[in-house]
Amino acid sequence: MSKIFEELTREAVNTPKIPCREFINAKLGLVKLNEEKQKYADELSTIYRRESGIFDCQIALCKGTGCHSSGESALYNKIDEILRAKGIREKVNIVETGCRGFCEMGPLVEIFPQNVFYCKVKPEHIEDIINKTVIKNEIIHELLFDGVQIAEEIPFYKKQVRRVLKESGHINPENINDSIVHGSYQGFMNATRMTPEEVIEMMKASGLRGRGGGGFSTGLKWQFTRATDSAKKYIICNADEGDPGAFMDRSLLEGDPHKIIEGMMIAGYSIGADEGYIYVRAEYPLAIHRLEVAIAQCTEFGILGKNILGTGFDFTIKIKQGAGAFVCGEETALISSIEGKRGMPTVKPPFPSTSGLFGKPTSINNVETLANVPLIMNNGIEWFKEVGTTKSPGTKVFAMTGKIRNTGLVEVPMGITLREIVFEIGGGVKDGRKFKAAQIGGPSGGCLTEEHLDMPIDYDSLQAAGAMVGSGGLVILDDKTCMVETARYFMSFTQSESCGKCIPCREGTGRMLEIMERIVIGKGTMDDVDLLSELAQTIKFASLCGLGKTAPNPVLSTLKYFREEYLAHIVDKRCPAGECDALKTYMIVPELCKGCSKCARVCPVQAITGEIKKTYIIDQEKCIKCGACYEACPFNAITVG
Amino acid sequence: MTTQYMEINNKKVEITGKEKNILEVARGMGIEIPTFCYHSELSVYGACRMCMVEDEKGNLIASCSLKPQAGMKIKTHSKKIMNTRRMILELLLANHHQECTTCVKSGDCVLQKLAMDMGVKKVRFKPRKPWQDLDTSSASIVRDPNKCILCGDCVRMCSEIQGVGVLGFINRGPDINVVPAFGKLISDVDCVNCGQCVSICPTGALTIKDDTLEVWDALLDPTKKVIFQIAPAVRVAIGEEFHHTEGENYLYKSVAAIKMMGADYVFDTSFSADLTVVEEASEFLNRVIKGEKLPQFTSCCPGWVTYAEENCPDLINNLSSCKSPQQMFGAVFKKFFAKQMNISLEDMYVVSVMPCTAKKFEAKRPEMSTDGYQDVDAVITTVELARMIRKMGIKFEELKPASLDMPFGFSSGAGVIFGTSGGVAEAALRYAVEKLTNETLDDVNFTEVRGLDGLKEATFNVAGHEIKLAVVSGLANTQRLIEKIRNKEVEYHLIEVMACPGGCIGGGGQPVPNTAAARVKRSKGLYSIDATSTVKKSQNNPTIEKLYAEWLKTPNSDEAHYALHTHYGHKRRIGGMEIADAAEGTTEKVIISVCVGTNCYLKGSYDVLQELIALAKKHGVEDKVEFKGTFCLENCSNGPSIKVSDDLHKYGVKKEETEKFFTNVVLPRIK
Amino acid sequence: MEKTETVQEPLRNFAKVKEIIEKFGTDRSALIPVLQAIQSEFRYLPQEMLSFVSTAMGIPQAEVFGVATFYAQFSTQPKGKHIVQVCDGTACHVRGSSEIIKKFKKDLQIPVGGTTTEDLYVTLETVSCLGACALAPAVVVDGKVYGNVNFDDVARIIMTMKESDDE
């Protein structure tokens, strides 16, 4: 059918300046199967008008979760209100997009053709924005980031290579036409002109590796699944993004759900599956909503269902919601969850490619991996390999959070150095503090320190350094962050998310957590350090699944690079970063103390002594570090450190 | 085809490609890789991580889930593996309530054995879980969560092999636990007391209810006349408790031991099995001739009876009304021989030694009594008998065999084979065929029903009658068969059901390990005894003949029905589930409780309830009536069931009858 | 969406549960969506309802209960009228969520070891990562997201929550 399309439109002239209605209708006639062509013709023509400059102006409002929670709706309403009052509503196209990535600075507003990028916009700014920027093309400098007008010029965006995130923040994810115009489903059509085996070879040659953290060759995984003989097979999209501090997949699903749907279709075509599941965590209601809208529109357009676009290929997608279990991000646990059971991993072998969902061969792929697939099919292997390293081609999306100036979503070439990400894109450490470490890979990952700042970020380099790329969570820690407490925090997370099935993880991580908790309150011993290592070995080697196997990583990594902090906690009973409550020292500064006795009165253990109008003193032996005196002192004469 | 090889511990091992996993291959070459959660009959779980082996690259893999492949090089022990196993044991011991000196599992406990083998002397961790009370609510099983290592064996056994699923995992991570549904007591849920969970539990978390102390009291009480009966399956297994091989017949040593313990009489349950054959086969022939109540299900397995009462109310009337051999024995003594032997019911104490834990529950059923005294006073299992023998200091190996007392020590081979799956059917056939043909049956061997397969079928043409037989063991197999029968996919006349795989020889009270291999040997042992017995048919047992002559007159007579037959009821599958009332203090209202348990629900009780509510509105009496949904009024075959206020009578109200019920029963009650 | 009052109208409850089961079907893979729908409707999973689900879907009671207690989304205990969720994901943790959790616990008078006040007024939960990391620390009250919450905001948030009672 797409051949007919090409024939028909070969002679048609269609440029942004001169949009061709026939072109639009021809495209519609092939994509749309039911009668209401006119409605869609109008919608598509709206897009063409925007692209071709027929709208006088387009305002893009970021409606990712972050900006949405910060009041994007209020902005939309205000803009709408004012434009109507001025009678220019039809001349301006307001697009509510997915995550634009620069979350720290939200709500974000981008205006074309002026190409102005405004940050931290509030409803009270709207009047000015419309009067000055929209109508008079004037720039409001106070709303710019560091005085930079164009988004791509901002250091945050400059070093990024936004491939999978390209449309995110520019298109309306709840309008399939937007995605189609930007190339969605062309990749699928290309794939259907090849044999499944050829598509798989192409995937293998591209070097695309699993972006969920495993780094396994996507093409190879599909090959194994294809190789297993079965009438029924499944493709599952793992959208259970459970790493705390990671929101890459969420943003992709919210910003450009069609990329993922297309990726699944191509995967299904390759492995021989006619049914796909998207397993999304329930904590992502907006992503679920966008997916539901996208799937419904695809079904209406005949892009999902039987004999898709005349290719003879059938494919449908169901959405399954997670119910709050991090472990369900592990493939066999995920399968158990879809099957209606407790989300506990099962033994491998058999691997899902042999026996997966409902016992059928299944390929489980991460959201970002699937988003890359249509791009490769559309633009080719060479294009994909232009960016990245030889063994880790392509880009990686990172969610950068923590003590960093510019938190947000970034997409960078594999092989970029940590220094570039943190200092150039991230804008450096917040509040001017010193960089201490970057926790990469969430609770399964390790930390990278100053000595790694110039190391390239790719699968193999990180593995050699005892860390892992993980799903993309990148938390920046400064000198006021206690590494021991950070390790304890991750251990605590792992214990509470452990499914409890196997002994090394259930019992082992619990015991490691006990030790870490002892250490942060100053009750650790040197034997504890040895025991930590011993437990870590058992858990690493013997756990049933990836959650367990990688659980000791934060502890092992911090022990390796910050051993002196552990020793300070154990031997000196001191927290060098000043974070651990129990090891804080409360002291009264004599020069500031007025002798009012307020602190002594509130102290629950009578650890403070002194005379009225004379300096009071805290008995460190008795002090239980509750902080009551600190809160009570009206002269800020008490220090904590 | 060239032979395939792999290497284990640098030794070449031949592999056929049919081996399930490396663990079994290693077993074949004499290396027992430690494991808590791998059992060849259950699904592979992979939770304990003890069976890890090391490959060439130094990676640890679980041997229970790894299939052998040509060229594989595996080590079953290395420093890494040893350290891992020790740490796992140490972690388990930290949470385990260690009372090895008095724990009944001591000596059979896998945790104890492995800890000893690995030399785990020091536990560097303190217990992290709070104390959980023991569940002693069941007549048959005791649950001790403080010894549970969460291996999940019991969960899988009860779910996969028995199809009941009493026990399940709850919560996650450190809070994970194995409990009955909703954390209730075992006696409040649908446990059938088969004890298969006890057999498979590697520690003392699930054990058999100890009734030995009661029995000692009786034995040492000069006023009591203690009468023992020993079940067939016990004799071929008791030897295992004393280092003998499975399947060898140690009946006479057991008799000697029990006599030494102080019993007054020691008889054989096989005798009353003969009685059961006569009664049940006669009942069967009656049904065949009349063409009613078929298929007939055997009823000697109390696990199956409980299961049927809970799950198959539509088949309750198909169960044979005969009591089990254990209960017939007790009834015969308390209802007849007490007087003959001049022993008062108060002084007579009947003990049965059984391979079965469910028999403890059966003996306590209220209908199994005479004038206020239970027909069987106590049931002890094979392992409990062994414990009693050890307690007395008797050296079993050195015992001289003693003979059973007469006349109830005499049994036919047919009675003995009751203990194995297919035995009851074969014994019944030996009677039925002879009766139908009116000719002496010379070849008594019906090998078609022998063997340890879960389901066996056979058709016999006897004197113009076609008799279709099915023999099933294991409750999951039973459930599948029942579904087929309900769907009319298959048809049988007689069905023997044993809850335990392989029949009683695999019962929950038998010595552990209760493996398939052990069961095969025990079963063979019983057929050997049958082969060498002088009397092979129940009807030729002279004691049985005498019993009928002196008391019972004929099979299925009134006397027989009084003493040897019973009735069944409906049993709810979960207790304590009343739905909250809408308001308090409304005693003047008429309370209508409608059952929404499975059977009633499937029959439309929910719609009945809705209609009643609508009727109440229509008649304007909503404020005088209170509607409740409730679980299981135990009136399943008459459902949908309704209870009105505190009436004892339960109404069965079909959808079409709702309005009539409301008008005739409810309205008059409203003042 | 109208939320049915729990335990007060047992019969309307069963009608709803039956509707839910009819919508999703009785296949085993429908169990979690069924429980999610029941949880959404009644704010928790009452035991009788789990028993009903077990009966209607043909799944052993112990297994239904096992699934209900495995996932963090499900609660077998009644929840409060208001639900306060404080995110303790990495980003929020690093930006001080522990202090905020402590303050909420104290100000809302949550009993030790529990999550809900005795009068079932409010439930306080700690969740691992809402995916709003750029707004760390984040707090969600009855579905409304508050970002960049600091210690002093706690009192204000609680007051807003209490004010909504009168609406």
Side-chain angles (χ1 to χ4, degrees):
Chain A
M1 240 188 182
S2 41
K3 279 216 170 96
I4 303 172
F5 167 62
E6 276 158 303
E7 295 283 74
L8 280 178
T9 56
R10 202 196 303 274
E11 300 305 324
V13 173
N14 178 59
T15 68
K17 277 270 181 318
I18 316 163
C20 170
R21 193 155 264 271
E22 303 309 319
F23 177 93
I24 296 165
N25 284 343
K27 189 157 183 171
L28 276 180
L30 287 154
V31 171
K32 186 84 182 60
L33 293 183
N34 72 30
E35 296 308 309
E36 294 170 19
K37 286 186 187 174
Q38 197 50 47
K39 175 174 163 226
Y40 292 97
D42 286 343
E43 279 188 50
L44 252 189
S45 75
T46 308
I47 296 161
Y48 272 85
R49 283 174 69 202
R50 182 221 313 162
E51 297 282 288
S52 61
I54 294 202
F55 272 120
D56 287 356
C57 177
Q58 171 171 296
I59 303 179
L61 298 175
C62 173
K63 202 181 174 181
T65 305
C67 292
H68 183 62
S69 317
S70 304
E72 178 271 346
S73 312
L75 295 182
Y76 183 94
N77 294 335
K78 195 80 182 158
I79 296 175
D80 188 63
E81 187 195 311
I82 296 184
L83 288 175
R84 282 186 201 280
K86 291 194 188 289
I88 52 171
R89 181 64 182 89
E90 334 71 56
K91 293 201 176 162
V92 181
N93 189 23
I94 314 174
V95 183
E96 294 181 288
T97 71
C99 184
R100 187 68 174 85
F102 204 3
C103 312
E104 181 76 31
M105 292 289 135
L108 303 170
V109 177
E110 214 167 349
I111 305 174
F112 297 99
Q114 294 83 345
N115 211 349
V116 182
F117 186 71
Y118 287 141
C119 307
K120 291 202 189 279
V121 179
K122 294 200 175 65
E124 48 264 33
H125 297 140
I126 299 298
E127 184 97 45
D128 265 357
I129 290 179
I130 293 178
N131 286 333
K132 294 196 179 144
T133 312
V134 174
I135 294 176
K136 294 195 214 156
N137 294 333
E138 280 170 19
I139 297 171
I140 304 169
H141 283 92
E142 301 78 52
L143 291 176
L144 294 177
F145 178 82
D146 265 7
V148 181
Q149 176 193 335
I150 299 173
E152 271 58 35
E153 304 277 293
I154 299 173
F156 180 78
Y157 286 108
K158 211 166 174 177
K159 280 236 157 172
Q160 289 190 45
V161 176
R162 291 175 85 85
R163 287 180 159 189
V164 295
L165 289 176
K166 183 154 163 267
E167 276 71 43
S168 203
H170 289 113
I171 63 166
N172 178 357
E174 296 192 26
N175 187 343
I176 189 175
N177 296 294
D178 242 352
S179 293
I180 291 178
V181 157
H182 282 91
S184 280
Y185 304 107
Q186 297 296 349
F188 169 72
M189 296 305 289
N190 289 347
T192 54
R193 286 187 210 107
M194 301 156 69
T195 65
E197 286 80 4
E198 284 169 342
V199 178
I200 291 175
E201 282 311 308
M202 194 165 158
M203 272 305 131
K204 278 163 71 183
S206 74
L208 176 64
R209 293 165 73 164
R211 296 288 193 256
F216 190 77
S217 159
T218 307
L220 209 51
K221 192 183 253 187
W222 290 3
Q223 189 173 357
F224 290 145
T225 318
R226 177 152 196 94
T228 316
D229 200 20
S230 171
K232 187 77 181 174
K233 295 187 193 178
Y234 294 99
I235 170 81
I236 298 179
C237 169
N238 185 348
D240 191 53
E241 191 171 59
D243 276 5
F247 55 100
M248 304 74 57
D249 294 347
R250 175 176 62 70
S251 307
L252 273 169
L253 291 170
E254 287 174 4
D256 195 1
H258 289 281
K259 277 221 172 54
I260 286 87
I261 293 174
E262 195 182 349
M264 285 177 77
M265 287 164 68
I266 296 170
Y269 177 75
S270 311
I271 66 175
D274 65 349
E275 213 177 316
Y277 280 87
I278 305 181
Y279 186 86
V280 197
R281 37 189 319 231
E283 291 88 335
Y284 285 175
L286 188 54
I288 294 173
H289 170 72
R290 298 256 161 94
L291 278 169
E292 282 171 344
V293 170
I295 291 174
Q297 290 181 345
C298 281
T299 312
E300 237 193 297
F301 270 52
I303 293 178
L304 284 174
K306 294 229 181 284
N307 192 14
I308 296 169
L309 300 178
T311 58
F313 177 61
D314 302 339
F315 197 72
T316 51
I317 295 183
K318 289 197 183 100
I319 299 178
K320 276 273 173 168
Q321 285 190 38
F326 172 71
V327 68
C328 285
E330 195 278 337
E331 34 179 44
T332 57
L334 197 160
I335 287 174
S336 294
S337 187
I338 295 182
E339 290 176 347
K341 301 181 190 147
R342 289 163 62 88
M344 305 201 295
T346 53
V347 288
K348 291 196 280 203
F351 289 90
S353 53
T354 327
S355 169
L357 184 61
F358 305 124
K360 306 292 177 199
T362 308
S363 180
I364 298 141
N365 294 106
N366 168 264
V367 170
E368 194 183 334
T369 313
L370 288 168
N372 271 294
V373 170
L375 296 177
I376 295 174
M377 295 313 294
N378 242 341
N379 300 299
I381 300 174
E382 293 315 314
W383 170 86
F384 183 71
K385 285 177 153 178
E386 262 167 27
V387 168
T389 69
T390 330
K391 279 202 168 155
S392 309
T395 58
K396 178 79 191 83
V397 180
F398 285 100
M400 204 161 42
T401 60
K403 304 281 180 73
I404 188 93
R405 205 178 152 218
N406 302 330
T407 55
L409 205 64
V410 304
E411 187 176 352
V412 293
M414 280 288 206
I416 194 172
T417 64
L418 187 58
R419 191 184 296 281
E420 288 172 273
I421 298 185
V422 175
F423 292 100
E424 293 182 45
I425 298 177
V429 182
K430 206 174 162 87
D431 299 331
R433 300 217 69 93
K434 197 170 170 306
F435 173 81
K436 189 168 185 183
Q439 169 68 24
I440 183 166
S444 313
C447 58
L448 298 171
T449 62
E450 263 193 279
E451 70 183 76
H452 300 115
L453 275 173
D454 293 306
M455 191 179 77
I457 307 281
D458 63 52
Y459 290 109
D460 306 296
S461 310
L462 255 60
Q463 202 161 31
M468 61 188 266
V469 174
S471 59
L474 186 60
V475 187
I476 309 301
L477 310 170
D478 66 11
D479 54 339
K480 277 245 163 254
T481 316
C482 175
M483 297 312 289
V484 182
E485 162 58 29
T486 306
R488 183 212 67 81
Y489 163 77
F490 278 123
M491 211 74 234
S492 161
F493 176 81
T494 312
Q495 241 283 274
S496 70
E497 293 295 335
S498 166
C499 76
K501 179 170 171 179
C502 78
I503 298 163
C505 177
R506 175 184 79 233
E507 300 295 331
T509 58
R511 298 301 179 178
M512 280 184 79
L513 177 61
E514 266 173 25
I515 296 173
M516 294 303 291
E517 283 177 341
R518 273 209 298 275
I519 295 178
V520 297
I521 58 168
K523 295 215 159 65
T525 64
M526 286 314 292
D527 279 345
D528 282 336
V529 179
D530 294 333
L531 192 50
L532 273 177
S533 300
E534 207 184 318
L535 282 165
Q537 295 304 304
T538 303
I539 301 169
K540 254 175 99 80
F541 292 126
S543 290
L544 173 61
C545 80
L547 188 153
K549 288 197 174 111
T550 55
N553 285 353
V555 171
L556 288 174
S557 181
T558 48
L559 258 178
K560 182 171 169 191
Y561 294 112
F562 297 98
R563 198 180 172 85
E564 67 288 351
E565 277 196 56
Y566 278 85
L567 293 178
H569 282 74
I570 293 171
V571 179
D572 304 330
K573 312 287 183 216
R574 189 180 61 88
C575 173
E579 200 186 316
C580 295
D581 273 343
L583 301 181
K584 286 182 179 166
T585 314
Y586 287 86
M587 293 216 293
I588 299 176
V589 181
E591 297 81 40
L592 298 172
C593 175
K594 299 276 188 277
C596 72
S597 82
K598 229 174 169 187
C599 56
R601 277 180 272 142
V602 300
C603 176
V605 293
Q606 286 93 49
I608 310 181
T609 50
E611 284 173 42
I612 301 282
K613 299 254 171 96
K614 293 216 176 108
T615 312
Y616 274 68
I617 190 162
I618 299 174
D619 183 349
Q620 294 302 329
E621 300 278 305
K622 287 189 180 163
C623 176
I624 59 163
K625 332 267 184 195
C626 69
C629 58
Y630 180 73
E631 284 181 38
C633 178
F635 302 106
N636 292 325
I638 300 186
T639 58
V640 186
Chain B
M1 193 175 116
T2 49
T3 353
Q4 307 252 339
Y5 290 99
M6 66 172 285
E7 263 182 49
I8 297 186
N9 298 338
N10 295 325
K11 226 178 147 193
K12 262 201 159 126
V13 182
E14 200 181 305
I15 47 173
T16 63
K18 292 207 201 94
E19 295 91 352
K20 267 203 246 177
N21 47 48
I22 302 229
L23 198 150
E24 302 254 345
V25 175
R27 265 188 192 154
M29 58 185 279
I31 298 180
E32 193 65 39
I33 298 181
T35 173
F36 286 111
C37 69
Y38 176 71
H39 293 279
S40 46
E41 292 124 51
L42 301 176
S43 63
V44 175
Y45 195 53
C48 72
R49 317 310 284 168
M50 285 292 283
C51 70
M52 312 296 276
V53 292
E54 197 172 324
D55 68 8
E56 288 174 280
K57 291 188 210 141
N59 292 326
L60 292 191
I61 329 160
S63 60
C64 62
S65 59
L66 190 61
K67 270 194 150 72
Q69 269 163 20
M72 254 186 180
K73 290 199 172 94
I74 297 287
K75 280 209 204 108
T76 63
H77 71 272
S78 67
K79 198 133 199 235
K80 222 187 244 178
I81 294 176
M82 296 305 207
N83 287 341
T84 305
R85 288 183 189 161
R86 292 170 60 96
M87 181 54 87
I88 291 174
L89 289 166
E90 194 180 337
L91 290 168
L92 284 178
L93 287 169
N95 287 330
H96 185 84
H97 179 228
Q98 290 176 52
E99 44 168 28
C100 301
T101 41
T102 48
C103 179
V104 294
K105 197 80 179 188
S106 192
D108 287 321
C109 174
V110 181
L111 179 61
Q112 184 189 47
K113 176 181 186 303
L114 291 177
M116 180 107 78
D117 289 347
M118 304 281 156
V120 180
K121 279 197 177 353
K122 201 158 174 236
V123 177
R124 292 165 288 182
F125 310 106
K126 292 202 178 67
R128 66 170 178 85
K129 285 173 132 173
W131 177 260
Q132 296 178 73
D133 286 333
L134 274 68
D135 180 354
T136 53
S137 65
S138 161
S140 314
I141 298 166
V142 176
R143 224 176 40 87
D144 185 352
N146 308 292
K147 293 187 183 158
C148 178
I149 58 168
L150 304 164
C151 65
D153 290 354
C154 57
V155 176
R156 274 149 46 240
M157 171 58 90
C158 190
S159 170
E160 292 169 18
I161 306 288
Q162 298 301 69
V164 181
V166 169
L167 293 165
F169 281 104
I170 57 164
N171 300 335
R172 176 177 90 189
D175 298 326
I176 201 172
N177 211 355
V178 173
V179 292
F182 309 113
K184 288 184 178 292
L185 298 171
I186 303 187
S187 54
D188 272 337
V189 294
D190 49 347
C191 171
V192 299
N193 305 297
C194 69
Q196 289 303 303
C197 56
V198 174
S199 280
I200 206 126
C201 178
T203 66
L206 286 164
T207 50
I208 302 170
K209 193 69 163 295
D210 188 334
D211 286 315
T212 58
L213 298 176
E214 247 188 71
V215 177
W216 278 123
D217 279 344
L219 284 167
L220 300 169
D221 182 345
T223 64
K224 296 272 184 224
K225 283 278 177 276
V226 184
I227 304 174
F228 266 74
Q229 51 162 321
I230 309 179
V234 176
R235 66 202 62 182
V236 288
I238 182 101
E240 294 164 40
E241 288 285 305
F242 301 101
H243 311 296
H244 295 303
T245 333
E246 305 96 326
E248 290 175 16
N249 183 7
Y250 284 105
L251 174 64
Y252 303 107
K253 280 204 179 183
S254 309
V255 175
I258 295 172
K259 288 232 161 114
M260 221 184 264
M261 282 168 11
D264 294 285
Y265 300 95
V266 184
F267 296 126
D268 195 341
T269 312
S270 311
F271 145 76
S272 48
D274 281 332
L275 190 56
T276 308
V277 169
V278 175
E279 285 296 315
E280 191 161 342
S282 303
E283 182 189 17
F284 175 60
L285 289 174
N286 243 334
R287 291 194 193 182
V288 167
I289 290 165
K290 286 194 187 147
E292 63 178 27
K293 285 204 207 166
L294 290 173
Q296 172 165 317
F297 288 89
T298 55
S299 57
C300 43
C301 172
W304 153 240
V305 169
T306 306
Y307 184 84
E309 285 182 319
E310 285 172 352
N311 295 293
C312 318
D314 54 328
L315 298 173
I316 284 292
N317 288 335
N318 291 61
L319 253 64
S320 160
S321 58
C322 290
K323 290 182 181 174
S324 66
Q326 167 181 275
Q327 294 306 135
M328 282 199 181
F329 185 97
V332 160
F333 272 86
K334 302 243 172 155
K335 293 187 195 313
F336 188 60
F337 278 101
K339 283 198 205 83
Q340 282 225 339
M341 294 156 84
N342 217 354
I343 306 173
S344 74
L345 286 179
E346 202 190 328
D347 293 339
M348 182 181 261
Y349 194 85
V350 174
V351 183
S352 65
V353 187
M354 290 284 145
C356 171
T357 48
K359 288 287 173 194
K360 291 178 189 263
F361 177 81
E362 188 185 42
K364 290 191 160 72
R365 290 178 80 118
E367 61 270 21
M368 305 288 188
S369 59
T370 305
D371 295 339
Y373 292 91
Q374 293 303 111
D375 288 339
V376 176
D377 294 285
V379 178
I380 54 170
T381 54
T382 316
V383 293
E384 283 166 280
L385 176 62
R387 214 179 301 146
M388 291 179 80
I389 293 173
R390 282 191 280 266
K391 196 167 191 170
M392 239 192 100
I394 298 173
K395 284 205 196 141
F396 194 78
E397 299 84 341
E398 293 176 20
L399 267 179
K400 283 198 177 44
S403 58
L404 289 159
D405 291 316
M406 283 298 130
F408 305 110
F410 191 90
S411 61
S412 74
V416 173
I417 57 175
F418 256 58
T420 178
S421 168
V424 179
E426 188 169 343
L429 278 169
R430 291 181 188 180
Y431 179 92
V433 170
E434 200 169 80
K435 281 282 175 275
L436 275 177
T437 57
N438 238 333
E439 284 162 21
T440 317
L441 181 65
D442 288 319
D443 181 11
V444 294
N445 294 316
F446 293 90
T447 53
E448 297 92 327
V449 295
R450 297 188 187 182
L452 273 91
D453 284 340
L455 176 64
K456 293 165 277 185
E457 295 158 296
T459 308
F460 301 95
N461 280 304
V462 187
H465 296 271
E466 191 196 52
I467 300 183
K468 286 199 189 137
L469 233 70
V471 175
V472 65
S473 68
L475 287 171
N477 291 333
T478 309
Q479 182 59 33
R480 282 189 274 272
L481 182 66
I482 289 176
E483 280 312 306
K484 282 197 177 150
I485 292 172
R486 282 182 178 145
N487 291 336
K488 306 228 192 306
E489 282 169 50
V490 290
E491 218 191 326
Y492 299 104
H493 297 100
L494 181 65
I495 303 175
E496 178 201 297
V497 182
M498 292 294 152
C500 297
C504 312
I505 37 119
Q510 295 284 63
V512 291
N514 193 14
T515 56
R519 282 180 247 138
V520 166
K521 290 200 180 122
R522 293 169 191 162
S523 178
K524 281 208 169 94
L526 288 179
Y527 284 113
S528 293
I529 298 172
D530 173 44
T532 53
S533 32
T534 42
V535 177
K536 291 194 170 60
K537 293 174 255 176
S538 306
Q539 59 268 34
N540 298 140
N541 182 339
T543 315
I544 299 290
E545 286 173 352
K546 208 163 166 243
L547 205 53
Y548 278 97
E550 285 179 22
W551 178 34
L552 298 166
K553 302 202 179 61
T554 55
N556 297 170
S557 66
D558 287 340
E559 286 81 350
H561 266 280
Y562 157 69
L564 308 175
H565 290 247
T566 182
H567 58 273
Y568 309 103
H570 298 293
K571 194 169 178 292
R572 62 161 59 121
R573 296 200 337 259
I574 188 145
M577 291 283 242
E578 286 295 323
I579 285 97
D581 288 350
E584 311 267 298
T586 50
T587 43
E588 318 88 51
K589 290 193 183 178
V590 180
I591 303 174
I592 315 269
S593 304
V594 180
C595 180
V596 288
T598 322
N599 281 289
C600 291
Y601 174 78
L602 291 171
K603 288 184 183 171
S605 64
Y606 193 77
D607 298 322
V608 170
L609 178 57
Q610 296 296 89
E611 206 184 320
L612 285 171
I613 297 170
L615 284 167
K617 265 210 181 89
K618 182 167 142 202
H619 290 257
V621 294
E622 305 148 66
D623 50 338
K624 300 212 174 65
V625 191
E626 199 180 296
F627 291 101
K628 274 174 159 201
T630 184
F631 278 104
C632 206
L633 292 170
E634 296 183 331
N635 187 28
C636 313
S637 47
N638 291 328
S641 307
I642 301 185
K643 195 168 139 161
V644 180
S645 293
D646 286 326
D647 289 1
L648 282 175
H649 176 79
K650 288 167 208 161
Y651 297 90
V653 181
K654 296 197 183 32
K655 276 195 271 190
E656 326 67 87
E657 299 167 348
T658 314
E659 178 132 29
K660 204 165 98 186
F661 171 75
F662 189 77
T663 322
N664 295 347
V665 178
V666 180
L667 279 180
R669 293 286 292 260
I670 296 171
K671 293 174 186 67
Chain C
M1 184 170 84
E2 260 297 305
K3 298 227 183 291
T4 324
E5 283 304 304
T6 60
V7 297
Q8 302 309 313
E9 288 169 334
L11 307 167
R12 224 198 321 159
N13 296 353
F14 278 116
K16 192 72 205 171
V17 178
K18 201 163 177 257
E19 226 180 271
I20 290 171
I21 295 175
E22 262 152 32
K23 177 176 170 200
F24 289 103
T26 55
D27 191 61
R28 180 60 196 263
S29 59
L31 178 61
I32 292 177
V34 165
L35 293 179
Q36 282 169 328
I38 295 175
Q39 167 89 27
S40 169
E41 181 71 30
F42 300 107
R43 291 208 307 269
Y44 78 114
L45 299 173
Q47 237 176 55
E48 320 83 73
M49 260 167 228
L50 291 177
S51 214
F52 192 88
V53 167
S54 153
T55 296
M57 294 178 76
I59 305 170
Q61 317 243 17
E63 271 187 58
V64 174
F65 192 60
V67 172
T69 52
F70 181 84
Y71 296 97
Q73 193 187 25
F74 299 138
S75 174
T76 50
Q77 301 299 321
K79 288 206 182 170
K81 184 168 166 211
H82 296 286
I83 312 240
V84 176
Q85 294 165 310
V86 183
C87 182
D88 196 33
T90 319
C92 294
H93 185 82
V94 155
R95 288 208 180 173
S97 57
S98 321
E99 290 304 312
I100 295 175
I101 294 169
K102 269 191 239 166
K103 188 88 179 30
F104 266 113
K105 256 199 186 126
K106 184 161 153 241
D107 288 359
L108 292 171
Q109 297 176 316
I110 306 285
V112 176
T115 54
T116 309
T117 51
E118 289 218 4
D119 56 359
L120 292 184
Y121 178 68
V122 62
T123 297
L124 176 66
E125 290 174 345
T126 315
V127 292
S128 307
C129 203
L130 298 162
C133 314
L135 300 172
V139 174
V140 179
V141 178
D142 297 330
K144 183 164 180 242
V145 179
Y146 293 88
N148 298 309
V149 174
N150 60 45
F151 200 73
D152 303 316
D153 292 327
V154 175
R156 186 176 51 85
I157 293 174
I158 294 176
M159 201 155 64
T160 315
M161 179 185 85
K162 287 188 174 159
E163 276 165 13
S164 70
D165 285 342
D166 308 319
E167 286 154 27

